[in-house]
Amino acid sequence: MGPLRDVRVVVLAGMGPVPFASMLLADLGADVVRVTRPPRRSARLLAQAAALGAEHDLVNRGVRSVAVDLKSPEGIASVLDLASRADVFVEGFRPGVVERLGLGPDALQERNPALVVARLTGYGQDGPLARAAGHDINYVAQSGALHALGRPGQAPMPPINLLGDYAGGGAMAALGVVSAVLAARSTGRGDVVDASMLDGVATLTTKIQGLRAAGLHSDEPGTNYLDGDAPFYGTYACADGRFLAVGALEADFYAEFVQRLGVDLTDWPAQDDTSQWPRLRELIGAAVARRTLAEWTEVYEGTDACVTPVLTFDEAASHPHNAARQLYTEVDGALHPAPAPRFAVHGTRPPSTPSAQPEPDVATVLELWPERFVT
């Protein structure tokens, strides 16, 4: 099931964006085989991995694993055999590592010219920092995006690891893989996808760069429409301490928003009078603070005011709209986000608990993957 159901993917197990990219491909039906090896992480990360458990490492859903010793010639030969029958090979090591193992693009594509090799790193395959260590926060910071996420007088806060690892890294890599596979199917020639988390996050800022060039976006955080300066685009505390998200940018949406606040609007400043935005924010804050989140949810549900409750994950799963679309599915006690996007014809792979047991050996997978290419 899924539009990628005839695509075979070999992944060298890694952290962050690599398993996320693998999950996206598997959700869309790809047959993904993850090559694992003894972990080389800090004691703290090893303890976290042990506490998490394979069944709760949800980004490995729909993915099969095989244990291979990449330090042995036999192990390298096994991975080469897998790649010779695959469409995609994904790795997330620093530049030069897989070449030293004998699994670089040249070695892989010599046996399988149509293979797409995706290389997922922080800083890319070249440049002064190509071999430097880093994490999500570093790439988001160096792209300029973390500065833009700041608030006046406050230190920038990283948005968990959603921007670098997942949006800029894993999602961009998956897009690159699908694009290269499409080209390989028509030309017979594979490609090497250089997916850098730094590059990906920078790409996500494209719209902002246009606004900056037009003089419509300031580099001072918290002084722009979408980063907290506009009082009609932000969050407000309710009477019970919960928060209401307001996104009433357009005039008609804003009009409905303030009308439903149930207060006298006679002396309220105009929406676009930026000099009065601090006062407008105070007025909106005072109005919202009069009721609980549940009360405001009832007031705004289904309207065009662009107002929603700030929900916890459990609340999000049970929200009527989200539940109708099965946005989250509980499997063995864990909330799985539904695969995205959705397809009318091909469908996607239903979420499932990741397997804690690897395949017996590579030969088991090879039996399921008949040869496609002349080597």
Side-chain angles (χ1 to χ4, degrees), residues 323-358:
R325 285 184 59 82
Q326 296 182 312
L327 185 66
Y328 289 96
T329 301
E330 185 171 323
V331 182
D332 295 332
L335 280 181
H336 281 256
R342 306 183 185 198
F343 301 85
V345 176
H346 297 290
T348 53
R349 177 177 282 128
S352 60
T353 300
S355 174
Q357 299 298 323

Side-chain angles (χ1 to χ4, degrees), residues 4-375:
L4 300 182
R5 60 186 176 276
D6 67 338
V7 174
R8 302 170 181 173
V9 182
V10 177
V11 179
L12 296 186
M15 297 175 63
V18 171
F20 185 70
S22 304
M23 184 200 77
L24 295 178
L25 298 172
D27 282 351
L28 301 186
D31 188 352
V32 181
V33 174
R34 183 171 63 117
V35 176
T36 65
R37 63 174 184 166
R40 299 176 60 189
R41 304 182 188 175
S42 68
R44 177 170 53 82
L45 291 178
L46 283 172
Q48 290 176 350
L52 177 63
E55 73 278 9
H56 291 143
D57 202 356
L58 303 189
V59 289
N60 290 323
R61 68 187 187 190
V63 174
R64 292 182 291 151
S65 298
V66 291
V68 176
D69 182 3
L70 295 182
K71 293 184 178 180
S72 72
E74 295 78 13
I76 297 301
S78 295
V79 176
L80 287 171
D81 286 341
L82 283 172
S84 71
R85 302 186 184 191
D87 301 284
V88 180
F89 184 91
V90 181
E91 60 96 358
F93 295 99
R94 299 191 207 188
V97 172
V98 292
E99 282 83 354
R100 291 194 294 271
L101 291 172
L103 296 174
D106 291 344
L108 295 168
Q109 292 177 335
E110 181 179 359
R111 296 187 58 177
N112 181 356
L115 184 69
V116 171
V117 179
R119 316 192 69 176
L120 219 171
T121 61
Y123 295 107
Q125 293 299 310
D126 52 43
L129 294 178
R131 290 174 172 79
H135 282 297
D136 181 288
I137 190 172
N138 306 118
Y139 316 129
V140 177
Q142 186 157 320
S143 71
L146 187 58
H147 174 78
L149 293 172
R151 300 285 296 164
Q154 300 178 21
M157 292 294 291
I160 318 179
N161 63 334
L162 299 179
L163 273 184
D165 278 352
Y166 299 146
M172 289 289 188
L175 173 62
V177 163
V178 172
S179 302
V181 167
L182 182 63
R185 291 284 171 92
S186 62
T187 65
R189 181 181 179 182
D191 207 336
V192 179
V193 180
D194 179 358
S196 154
M197 285 178 269
L198 174 61
D199 295 359
V201 176
T203 298
L204 295 173
T205 71
T206 302
K207 177 66 176 182
I208 300 301
Q209 304 301 347
L211 293 173
R212 291 179 66 247
L216 300 176
H217 187 95
S218 168
D219 282 343
E220 181 63 31
T223 62
N224 302 285
Y225 264 73
L226 301 182
D227 66 3
D229 193 32
F232 38 85
Y233 198 88
T235 57
Y236 289 92
C238 304
D240 55 357
R242 298 293 303 276
F243 287 87
L244 195 68
V246 178
L249 288 171
E250 292 82 358
D252 51 343
F253 297 159
Y254 174 77
E256 183 160 6
F257 162 58
V258 294
Q259 288 167 7
R260 289 177 178 272
L261 286 173
V263 296
D264 184 0
L265 303 175
T266 303
D267 296 326
W268 279 42
Q271 178 187 6
D272 293 326
D273 185 354
T274 57
S275 66
Q276 293 296 308
W277 276 2
R279 178 168 174 260
L280 182 57
R281 181 175 292 103
E282 292 179 359
L283 291 169
I284 293 174
V288 172
R290 293 166 51 246
R291 298 188 183 185
T292 66
L293 180 63
E295 291 173 321
W296 285 123
T297 299
E298 185 176 354
V299 168
Y300 287 107
E301 188 81 43
T303 72
D304 280 347
C306 300
V307 175
T308 51
V310 177
L311 302 176
T312 67
F313 285 125
D314 285 335
E315 291 169 339
S318 61
H319 185 282
H321 175 83
N322 298 350
R325 285 184 59 82
Q326 296 182 312
L327 185 66
Y328 289 96
T329 301
E330 185 171 323
V331 182
D332 295 332
L335 280 181
H336 281 256
R342 306 183 185 198
F343 301 85
V345 176
H346 297 290
T348 53
R349 177 177 282 128
S352 60
T353 300
S355 174
Q357 299 298 323
E359 297 285 342
D361 51 43
V362 171
T364 304
V365 177
L366 293 177
E367 290 178 1
L368 300 174
W369 284 6
E371 292 187 14
R372 288 178 173 173
F373 311 101
V374 177
T375 60

